[in-house]
Amino acid sequence: MHVTALLALWAAGSSAAGIQPLASRETEERHDWAFSPPHYPSPWMNPTAVGWEVAYAKAKAFVSQLTLMEKVNLTTGVGTAQYLALDFAAYADGPLGIRFGDYSSAFPSGQTVAATFDRQLLYQRGRAMGAEAKGKGVSVLLGPVAGPIGRMPTGGRNWEGFSPDPYLTGVGMAETIKGIQDEGVIACAKHFIANEQEHFRQVGEANGYGYNITETLSSNIDDKTMHELYLWPFVDATMNGLLKGELGFQGFVLSDWQAQHGGVSTALAGLDMSMPGDTRFNTGFSFWGTNLTVAVLNGTVPQYRVDDMAMRIMAAYFKVGMTLDQPPINMNSWTKDTFGYRHFYAQEGYERVNWHIDVQDDHGDLIREIGAKATVLLKNEGALPLKKPRFLAVIGEDAAPNPLGPNGCPDRGCNEGTLAQSWGSGTADFPYLVSPYEALALQARQDHTRFEAVLDNYATSQIESLVSQEDVTAVVFVNANSGEGYISVDGNEGDRNNLTLWGSGDELIKNVSSLCSNTIVVIHSVGPTLVTDWYDSPNVTAILWAGVPGQESGNSITDVLYGRVNPAGRTPFSWAAKREDYGADVMYEPNNDIPQQDFTEGVHIDYRYIDSNNITPIFEYGFGLSYTTFSYSDIRVEKIAAPAYEPTTGQTNPAPTFGNFSTDLSDYQFPDSLIRRIPGYIYPYLNVTDAEAATADPYYGLAPEEWLPPHAAEDAPQPLHPAGPDASQQPGGNAGLFDDLYTVTARITNTGNVVGDEVPQLYVSLGGPEDPPRVLRGFDRLNVAPGQTVVFAATLTRRDLSNWDTAYQDWVVTEHPKTVYVGPSSRKLPLSATLA
Ligand SMILES: *[C@@H]1O[C@H](CO)[C@@H](O)[C@H](O)[C@H]1NC(C)=O
Ligand SMILES: *[C@@H]1O[C@H](CO)[C@@H](O)[C@H](O)[C@H]1NC(C)=O
Ligand SMILES: *[C@@H]1O[C@H](CO)[C@@H](O)[C@H](O)[C@H]1NC(C)=O
Ligand SMILES: *[C@@H]1O[C@H](CO)[C@@H](O)[C@H](O)[C@H]1NC(C)=O
Ligand SMILES: *[C@@H]1O[C@H](CO)[C@@H](O)[C@H](O)[C@H]1NC(C)=O
Ligand SMILES: *[C@@H]1O[C@H](CO)[C@@H](O)[C@H](O)[C@H]1NC(C)=O
Ligand SMILES: *[C@@H]1O[C@H](CO)[C@@H](O)[C@H](O)[C@H]1NC(C)=O
Ligand SMILES: *[C@@H]1O[C@H](CO)[C@@H](O)[C@H](O)[C@H]1NC(C)=O
Ligand SMILES: *[C@@H]1O[C@H](CO)[C@@H](O)[C@H](O)[C@H]1NC(C)=O
C-alpha cells in the first residue's frame, strides 16, 4: 500500500507545505519561511471549465438525483479488503502496470521510460497500461508519479516517478495521463506533494525499525520552491490537472491508503474521496461514511461540499468516457484463485472473483523497445556494438533469473537475480521475465559465439579463471535497488542506505577489469550509483545504464549491445563522484518527535545543485552516447508576438448545490431488512436516530467556531487566483502562462556512419541570483540518417521563462538577462543565444 502523509497534511488545512506543530523554539524560527497560509473555503468545481463542460453536464444530471447517503457512498471507499471503492468503480495500483494482475504486463519504471526522452513512447506506455486496466475492469489506475520527484538520490521510490527535473517529469506526467485516459481509465497523479522519502512516512513502520515518532515526517518547503519545482509537474498533470484554486483542478482528490486522519477537517480542506474508506485497515469505522452523513445533517459540513465531491468524482468518470454501465472488475487483488471471497476480510460472498483475462496484447514489443531506447550508453571505447564476438563471458547475479521465480518475492521485496522491477506497491506481477542471461545465451548460439556465464558474484575463482582467458569479452551485470518502506531489503527501509552497488558489485567490476581488458558494465538501478572507483579504468571499455526495464529486460539490453538499437537514452539524473555532491539527503534519524524535513536547498536538487556549486559530475544530467556522432549548428531564436500577461481577476460563482436532503434522522437508519451487514464494510447509514451515538465520535458536538478555520464552510463567491484560470480558460493556470514567447531552432547533423536518434536539449538560464545556472525547458528525440541534417525546434512559453514571485503570489518574467542553450546534455551545450 502506498500512503502519502503529505496528502493528509494538505487535506488537514495547509494549502502547500505540510505544516505540523513544532516541538521546539529553535525549529520554530527556522520554519518561518515554510508556512503557507491555509486556504478556505475549499474551491468548488466550475461546471463550465473549458474541456469539462460535457462531463459536468452529465455529472449534474446524475448527482442531482442522488440522496445524501448515495452521495456519501460515492465519496467513501467501502473498506480495505473489499477492493471496490464504489459499486461501479474499481481502483488498482499502480504506476508501471496492474499490481497483482495476471496475464498482464510489467512495464519499465517511470524513471526508465523518462530516459528515452521520447514523448511518443511515454504516451504509448501510458496508453498500453490504460488498455490493460480497462481490460481488467479497472476504472482508476493509481499512477503516474511526480512525488517523489527525486530530491535525494537514495529516495526509495524515485524510480516510480520520472526525473528530479520538473520539466521532464511534467512531460512524463502529461503524456502518461493522456495515454491512460485515452483508453477510458482515470489516471491518478500522485503523490501530492513533496513525498520524497520513505523513512518516517508511517508512524508504525518507524516503530518497526526502532524510532518512536508521534507523527509522520513533515516536509517544510518555501513557496518559491513549491511552485518552481514540486508543483510544476502537477500543472502538466492538470493540463489534461496549489491545486483546485490556483491550478483550477476540476478532478477529485483522494486520500492515500491510511493517510486520512480526520473527518470534518479533511472534508472542509478539500479531500473528495476517502480511500480505502476505513480509519485504519479493516477497522470497520470511517472518518466519512456515517460520520459524513451526520456532519451534513448537523450542519458542520455544508451540503455544497459533499455535492462538490460527488460532482468532481462523477465528472472525472464521465470525462474519460465511462458510462454508468461499465463492466465490473474481473480480477481480484487478494487472490489468484478463480473462486474466492468477494469480501475478503469478512470471508463472505464466495463466488467467481477472477476471470484471468489476458490483457497483454502485443505490449511486450513496446516494453522491449522502451527498454532498449531508454538504455543510456555512458562510456564506449569502441567495445560496442558487439559483432559476433568470439568469446563472451557474462558475469554477475544481475544477469540471472531469480531462483525463487520472477514473482517469488511478494511485491518484488527482495534483490535476487536480475533487477527488472524494484519493490513495493508500485510493482506489477511479471507475466514472464527475459533475463539478460537468457537473451544473451540465445544470441551467442545464433552467432556461434563461445558463451559462458558465472551468475554468482562471489564465485571468485571461477570468475577469475574465466575472464583471464584470451579473447574474452566480459559483460558484468550489477545493480542497486530500493522501494517502498513497508518492506525492508538488506536493511534498506525503502530508501537506499548508500549509493554503491549491491552484492559487492563495485568490487566485482574491479576484480574482473583487473584481469580483462575488455570489460563491459551494465547497471540496473533505481538512480545513480557511485562509479568513481572504476569508470575510468582503460579496461572498462563500455558502461551502460539500463534502469529497471520490466519483463523484456534481457531482449532490450541485447538489442543495444548488438547494435540493433542504436542507443540514445539520456540519464534522467546526474552521476556525481560522491554522495555529498547531491546536497540534500534522506533523513535517516528523526530530528524531532515529529520529524521536520527542511527543504533548505530550495530548487537546487540534482544537476541544479551540482551546477550551482561548481561541482564536476562524472556523467552529467541528460548525458548519453550513441554508436554514431552528431554536430550542432545554427541556433536561431524567433520572438513570437504575445499579449501581455493579465493576472486573473474576478470571482467565482457562489457554491452550487445539486439536489436536496431530508433532515429527519429516521430516514438514514441502516436498512437491515434490505441489506445484510458485512463486517469491515463501510456504509453511509446510522445505527440509531441519535446522531452522536450513531457516530460514536469521542469529540462529537464541538461547536464549529471553536475548532474550524475561519471561512471553512463559506459558500459566497470567492476571488479567483491571479495565477489561476478564469471561467473561460482551461484548468492548469492563467492562460497567459501558456502563451508561446519564443521559438528556438538548431540544426543537427549525423556525422557518423550509422543511423541514430539524437536527443537535443534546450536549457534556459533565468538569470537571477537564486536561479540555477541552467534549467531544462525543451527536448526532442530525432532520428537522423548518416550525413543527414535535421532541424530541432522548441517553443518557450511564458511559464518556461517565469519565476514564482512570493510577494505578488504570481509568476513573473524577471528583468534578469536570459540565455538559451542547445546541446546533447546539460553540460555539452555548443549553441547559445540571448533572449531579447
Ligand atoms: C451504499 O453502497 C452499498 C454498497 O457499497 C449499498 O449496499 C447501499 O445500498 C448503498 N446505499 C445507498 C444509500 O446508496
Ligand atoms: C513513544 O513516545 C510517546 C510520547 O513521547 C510515549 O508516550 C510512548 O510511551 C513512547 N513509546 C515507546 C514504545 O517508547
Ligand atoms: C466517526 O469518526 C470517529 C473519528 O473521528 C471514529 O472514532 C468513529 O469510529 C467514526 N464512526 C463511525 C461510525 O465510523
Ligand atoms: C550499500 O548497500 C548495499 C545494499 O544493502 C550493500 O550490499 C552494500 O554493502 C552497501 N555498501 C556499503 C559500502 O556499505
Ligand atoms: C575480488 O577479489 C578478491 C581477491 O581475489 C576476493 O577476495 C573478493 O572476494 C573478490 N570479490 C568479488 C565480489 O568478486
Ligand atoms: C587490464 O587488463 C590486463 C589484462 O588483460 C591487465 O594486465 C592490466 O593490469 C589491467 N589494467 C588495469 C588498469 O586493471
Ligand atoms: C427534494 O426535491 C424534490 C424535487 O424537487 C421534492 O420532491 C422532495 O420533496 C424534496 N425533498 C426534500 C427532503 O426536501
Ligand atoms: C453499528 O451496529 C453494528 C452492528 O451491530 C456494529 O457492528 C457497529 O459497531 C455499530 N456502530 C457504531 C458506531 O456503534
Ligand atoms: C457533527 O458531526 C460530525 C461527524 O460525526 C462530528 O464530528 C461533529 O462533532 C458534529 N458537530 C456538531 C456540532 O454536532
Side-chain angles (χ1 to χ4, degrees):
M1 299 289 168
H2 46 269
V3 182
T4 311
L6 265 299
L7 179 56
L9 294 176
W10 172 77
S14 159
S15 65
I19 305 305
Q20 286 282 349
L22 299 159
S24 75
R25 292 296 313 169
E26 187 202 331
T27 43
E28 198 159 349
E29 274 162 37
R30 283 196 292 123
H31 288 108
D32 283 350
W33 49 268
F35 286 79
S36 42
H39 186 97
Y40 289 99
S42 175
W44 38 89
M45 99 261 37
N46 171 14
T48 60
V50 177
W52 286 81
E53 305 93 327
V54 174
Y56 265 118
K58 288 182 185 170
K60 182 179 173 189
F62 179 73
V63 172
S64 302
Q65 292 178 22
L66 300 181
T67 65
L68 174 58
M69 286 190 295
E70 287 168 333
K71 291 172 187 168
V72 169
N73 249 1
L74 282 183
T75 68
T76 308
V78 295
T80 303
Q82 326 291 348
Y83 198 67
L84 302 184
L86 324 164
D87 276 346
F88 53 87
Y91 289 61
D93 281 319
L96 59 66
I98 299 164
R99 186 184 183 199
F100 306 126
D102 57 2
Y103 306 93
S104 50
S105 305
F107 289 85
S109 69
Q111 188 185 53
T112 306
V113 68
T116 66
F117 278 75
D118 186 324
R119 288 178 175 78
Q120 218 182 331
L121 289 177
L122 283 158
Y123 173 80
Q124 284 173 6
R125 172 176 168 277
R127 183 122 196 199
M129 294 194 303
E132 295 201 4
K134 194 78 186 172
K136 292 287 187 189
V138 169
S139 315
V140 179
L141 190 61
L142 299 170
V145 171
I149 195 169
R151 175 177 180 251
M152 300 83 71
T154 50
R157 296 178 78 177
N158 292 353
W159 54 275
E160 291 186 41
F162 298 97
S163 167
D165 179 84
Y167 182 89
L168 178 55
T169 292
V171 171
M173 293 297 278
E175 296 297 334
T176 307
I177 290 169
K178 259 188 264 167
I180 293 171
Q181 299 199 156
D182 281 354
E183 289 291 339
V185 172
I186 299 174
C188 171
K190 67 183 191 181
H191 305 83
F192 194 73
I193 194 168
N195 178 52
E196 293 294 325
Q197 69 168 51
E198 288 300 285
H199 278 79
F200 317 123
R201 206 195 69 197
Q202 305 223 51
V203 172
E205 254 172 43
N207 290 340
Y209 47 80
Y211 294 109
N212 184 14
I213 56 171
T214 53
E215 277 288 352
T216 51
L217 181 81
S218 170
S219 298
N220 305 323
I221 307 180
D222 67 278
D223 190 33
K224 175 180 159 76
T225 303
M226 177 59 83
H227 282 84
E228 294 185 9
L229 181 55
Y230 296 96
L231 188 63
W232 182 287
F234 286 98
V235 175
D236 294 303
T238 341
M239 288 300 288
N240 298 330
L242 288 265
L243 197 65
K244 292 175 176 175
E246 185 179 325
L247 305 188
F249 177 63
Q250 297 297 325
F252 62 95
V253 176
L254 66 152
S255 65
D256 209 328
W257 275 236
Q258 298 199 124
Q260 188 185 13
H261 301 293
V264 168
S265 58
T266 57
L268 295 176
L271 188 70
D272 299 308
M273 182 183 280
S274 161
M275 285 299 278
D278 32 24
T279 48
R280 285 286 171 274
F281 293 151
N282 297 317
T283 59
F285 296 104
S286 177
F287 291 111
W288 286 8
T290 304
N291 270 314
L292 187 55
T293 305
V294 171
V296 175
L297 293 174
N298 74 21
T300 308
V301 170
Q303 183 198 340
Y304 80 76
R305 189 65 267 276
V306 174
D307 288 358
D308 184 45
M309 297 173 191
M311 287 284 281
R312 287 173 176 276
I313 292 164
M314 293 314 298
Y317 188 85
F318 292 125
K319 180 140 187 348
V320 301
M322 281 194 274
T323 53
L324 294 170
D325 56 359
Q326 284 306 115
I329 185 151
N330 57 54
M331 63 165 276
N332 187 300
S333 290
W334 311 111
T335 176
K336 290 250 180 358
D337 294 346
T338 303
F339 288 83
Y341 294 107
R342 178 176 168 81
H343 307 297
F344 188 80
Y345 173 71
Q347 302 272 291
E348 277 194 25
Y350 193 79
E351 60 184 26
R352 179 154 198 178
V353 292
N354 274 312
W355 275 258
H356 311 294
I357 293 175
D358 188 336
V359 295
Q360 298 173 87
D361 204 334
D362 58 0
H363 299 155
D365 297 344
L366 175 67
I367 292 168
R368 178 176 183 160
E369 181 184 356
I370 294 172
K373 289 191 168 172
T375 299
V376 182
L377 182 62
L378 293 168
K379 177 178 180 182
N380 185 19
E381 300 295 326
L384 297 177
L386 297 175
K387 294 193 183 76
K388 298 192 186 210
R390 186 136 190 268
F391 175 16
L392 195 67
V394 169
I395 308 295
E397 181 184 321
D398 183 66
N402 179 348
L404 306 172
N407 301 313
C409 309
D411 280 337
R412 312 296 80 73
C414 65
N415 196 51
E416 300 281 334
T418 192
L419 176 63
Q421 226 184 115
S422 304
W423 79 77
S425 63
T427 56
D429 283 7
F430 286 111
Y432 61 82
L433 171 54
V434 182
S435 69
Y437 168 77
E438 182 186 342
L440 287 167
L442 181 65
Q443 177 74 43
R445 288 199 292 279
Q446 285 166 4
D447 293 347
H448 299 283
T449 293
R450 180 182 162 201
F451 180 84
E452 291 190 43
V454 181
L455 302 174
D456 176 345
N457 290 9
Y458 300 101
T460 306
S461 65
Q462 287 82 355
I463 292 170
E464 288 182 353
S465 71
L466 184 62
V467 302
S468 51
Q469 295 179 41
E470 209 164 295
D471 286 343
V472 70
T473 299
V475 187
V476 185
F477 283 85
V478 289
N479 66 34
N481 204 352
S482 73
E484 192 173 358
Y486 71 93
I487 299 175
S488 168
V489 179
D490 196 26
N492 295 263
E493 312 289 347
D495 306 314
R496 278 191 282 170
N497 288 333
N498 63 55
L499 284 175
T500 57
L501 292 167
W502 291 35
S504 306
D506 296 289
E507 196 180 71
L508 181 66
I509 294 165
K510 283 190 262 184
N511 282 4
V512 171
S513 64
S514 70
L515 299 169
C516 172
S517 62
N518 192 12
T519 303
I520 296 165
V521 175
V522 178
I523 303 171
H524 286 118
S525 75
V526 290
T529 68
L530 300 181
V531 299
T532 321
D533 281 355
W534 49 262
Y535 81 101
D536 58 352
S537 160
N539 287 359
V540 174
T541 51
I543 306 172
L544 301 103
W545 178 73
V548 278
Q551 69 194 39
E552 288 279 334
S553 176
N555 286 332
S556 300
I557 194 67
T558 304
D559 286 345
V560 173
L561 290 172
Y562 284 80
R564 285 188 292 271
V565 170
N566 185 351
R570 297 303 160 101
T571 176
F573 45 77
S574 306
W575 298 70
K578 49 187 197 304
R579 185 171 184 165
E580 304 74 58
D581 290 354
Y582 290 97
D585 207 337
V586 163
M587 180 192 288
Y588 294 95
E589 305 270 333
N591 59 359
N592 203 303
D593 284 355
I594 304 165
Q596 301 293 317
Q597 189 165 40
D598 296 345
F599 288 39
T600 47
E601 72 289 342
V603 300
H604 302 269
I605 65 169
D606 198 81
Y607 73 88
R608 297 160 168 225
Y609 180 85
I610 289 172
D611 291 352
S612 303
N613 289 282
N614 280 322
I615 295 165
T616 304
I618 290 179
F619 302 118
E620 72 272 18
Y621 186 90
F623 175 74
L625 298 167
S626 165
Y627 296 151
T628 185
T629 50
F630 299 93
S631 71
Y632 282 67
S633 62
D634 200 14
I635 189 169
R636 287 182 197 200
V637 176
E638 199 179 308
K639 194 167 178 169
I640 301 167
Y645 182 69
E646 296 288 349
T648 295
T649 54
Q651 292 196 319
T652 67
N653 290 325
T657 56
F658 304 88
N660 57 15
F661 63 93
S662 147
T663 49
D664 179 352
L665 266 60
S666 65
D667 290 343
Y668 295 86
Q669 300 305 296
F670 199 103
D672 282 294
S673 59
L674 301 173
I675 300 179
R676 200 172 49 80
R677 283 180 201 251
I678 300 158
Y681 211 86
I682 304 300
Y683 297 98
Y685 305 109
L686 281 58
N687 273 1
V688 289
T689 48
D690 178 84
E692 178 169 358
T695 65
D697 176 351
Y699 302 103
Y700 191 90
L702 269 183
E705 56 276 15
E706 281 180 46
W707 68 288
L708 288 175
H711 314 295
E714 199 168 285
D715 61 2
Q718 299 294 315
L720 290 167
H721 197 289
D726 72 19
S728 68
Q729 297 173 354
Q730 285 203 357
N734 187 316
L737 296 172
F738 303 96
D739 287 341
D740 293 338
L741 300 190
Y742 293 93
T743 305
V744 180
T745 56
R747 291 161 74 82
I748 295 161
T749 305
N750 183 338
T751 51
N753 300 322
V754 287
V755 62
D757 289 357
E758 174 63 347
V759 177
Q761 295 156 50
L762 183 155
Y763 291 82
V764 173
S765 165
L766 293 168
E770 288 170 46
D771 291 317
R774 289 169 301 278
V775 293
L776 182 70
R777 284 292 188 262
F779 63 82
D780 204 351
R781 180 164 175 141
L782 303 167
N783 190 261
V784 199
Q788 191 193 359
T789 297
V790 296
V791 174
F792 163 64
T795 307
L796 290 169
T797 63
R798 182 173 277 117
R799 175 189 181 216
D800 291 328
L801 298 174
S802 295
N803 287 97
W804 182 254
D805 190 305
T806 55
Y808 284 125
Q809 285 295 296
D810 204 347
W811 293 97
V812 294
V813 179
T814 64
E815 294 294 313
H816 302 294
K818 307 208 185 305
T819 311
V820 292
Y821 301 87
V822 174
S825 82
S826 65
R827 292 229 165 179
K828 293 196 181 53
L829 297 163
L831 307 179
S832 64
T834 51
L835 295 180

